[in-house]
Amino acid sequence: VCGVLDAEESASLYTDADLTDQQWNTIMRHLRHKFNASVAVSLLETKRRCYEGYTAPRVKVIYHREGEKEEEKIVAEYQDIKAEFKKAVEVLLRVKQVGKRKRVKRIRLVIGGDHGQGAFRLGFRVLIDTESDEGEKEVLHKTINIATVHCKKEVGAILESTVIDWVTEDLKYINENRLHLLNVNRRVVTCFESD
């Protein structure tokens, strides 16, 4: 069996499977290795057209040297937490068919990161406490990767030089601007107070 996926079909696969950029890149790496070929699909423009709410990552490249070691090229990618948080809340409420904002009792954002397999990854989990009209309680949750810093070792100076300012700015914004839930056409949508 053989075939070719064009850019739109690839983006459809990406969207339908709900893949993260990191997962897509892993699949591409395995395909390149398995078929010993140049498998490349540029999804950035296609995702912008096909994937509702796609947040293009900010990218920063720095060079870091620790002591007498050889200089290392560090590539960092970061997606806006504000946009990803709003989108995650809306997606969870839509998928779980929470059509009334009064069913939402509390929304929490938990952030964390870890270094492994040549990169530091930063993610967050959104947790939504809901209650049905019958009093049934449920916690909805979704985990999102928002930053990847490709580096051999986790060093605070590298994080400070790449993604920390972006993370700090976005978390400050989220803290200072209340997230509002609005009922629109039997669907809950979100906006920040200053939007």
Side-chain angles (χ1 to χ4, degrees), residues 30-159:
H30 281 276
L31 289 175
R32 282 190 294 273
H33 175 74
K34 173 69 176 167
F35 296 111
N36 196 22
S38 296
V39 178
V41 179
S42 176
L43 291 176
L44 188 58
E45 280 305 312
T46 309
K47 285 194 292 188
R48 281 191 185 130
R49 287 184 282 137
C50 298
Y51 191 57
E52 179 185 334
Y54 175 73
T55 307
R58 298 182 203 174
V59 178
K60 186 183 276 189
V61 177
I62 66 167
Y63 292 88
H64 177 75
R65 181 188 312 268
E66 190 174 346
E68 298 295 317
K69 294 181 181 177
E70 190 175 316
E71 188 172 66
E72 178 185 6
K73 180 180 179 181
I74 309 292
V75 178
E77 294 180 0
Y78 172 80
Q79 289 184 290
D80 185 331
I81 296 176
K82 301 182 310 279
E84 293 300 310
F85 176 57
K86 282 174 51 175
K87 185 170 60 172
V89 170
E90 287 184 3
V91 166
L92 273 172
L93 295 176
R94 184 178 67 238
V95 168
K96 296 296 186 175
Q97 300 178 344
V98 178
K100 300 176 189 170
R101 70 176 185 217
K102 72 177 187 174
R103 290 190 50 205
V104 176
K105 302 304 176 191
R106 180 170 66 162
I107 300 174
R108 293 169 283 160
L109 173 73
V110 180
I111 190 166
D114 193 20
H115 188 278
Q117 298 180 346
F120 174 81
R121 291 169 185 82
L122 181 69
F124 74 87
R125 174 173 275 193
V126 61
L127 300 147
I128 305 173
D129 297 333
T130 63
E131 188 173 334
S132 71
D133 293 334
E134 295 78 32
E136 288 183 41
K137 296 180 180 184
E138 182 179 8
V139 178
L140 313 177
H141 58 87
K142 184 173 180 72
T143 303
I144 310 270
N145 182 47
I146 51 162
T148 304
V149 181
H150 299 277
C151 55
K152 292 178 185 167
K153 290 181 81 177
E154 180 181 350
V155 178
I158 293 174
L159 298 178

